[in-house]
């Protein structure tokens, strides 16, 4: 997690499912972030969470880092996005095969 234009900085965290919502052709998946021991949030980031926007097929279209529930000036690194994509793909795939909501 880093501010746009700031130096690349990786953070270790785990993810948890919070909620999902359908919006026409889009499926919004909200995730929580739990930092691993010893990790600290970047300065200025208070309460991060994640909005993952998927299409109807469950393919990820966009990953947005929220702070206090709103869009923020922070973004994820490539490795962090990869972790989020893997988490969503595992959970979306599992739910799609059983026809259950995320």
């Amino acid at each position: 997690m880093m501010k746009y234009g700031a130096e690349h900085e990786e953070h270790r965290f785990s993810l948890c499912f919070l909620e999902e919502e359908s919006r026409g052709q889009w499926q919004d998946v909200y995730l929580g972030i739990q930092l691993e021991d010893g990790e600290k949030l970047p300065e200025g980031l208070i309460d991060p969470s994640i909005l993952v926007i998927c299409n109807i097929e469950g393919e990820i279209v966009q990953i947005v880092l929220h702070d206090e529930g709103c869009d923020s000036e922070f973004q994820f690194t490539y490795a962090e996005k990869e972790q989020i994509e893997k988490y969503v793909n595992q959970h979306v795939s599992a739910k799609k095969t059983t026809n259950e909501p995320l």
Side-chain angles (χ1 to χ4, degrees), residues 36-71:
E36 291 190 15
D37 290 340
E39 290 287 316
K40 292 171 35 177
L41 292 172
E43 186 176 329
L45 187 59
I46 298 166
D47 184 23
S49 60
I50 305 166
L51 165 61
V52 181
I53 303 170
C54 301
N55 62 21
I56 295 299
E57 291 78 33
E59 297 167 346
I60 296 172
V61 176
Q62 187 174 10
I63 298 173
V64 181
L65 175 55
H66 281 176
D67 190 21
E68 297 182 305
C70 299
D71 288 354

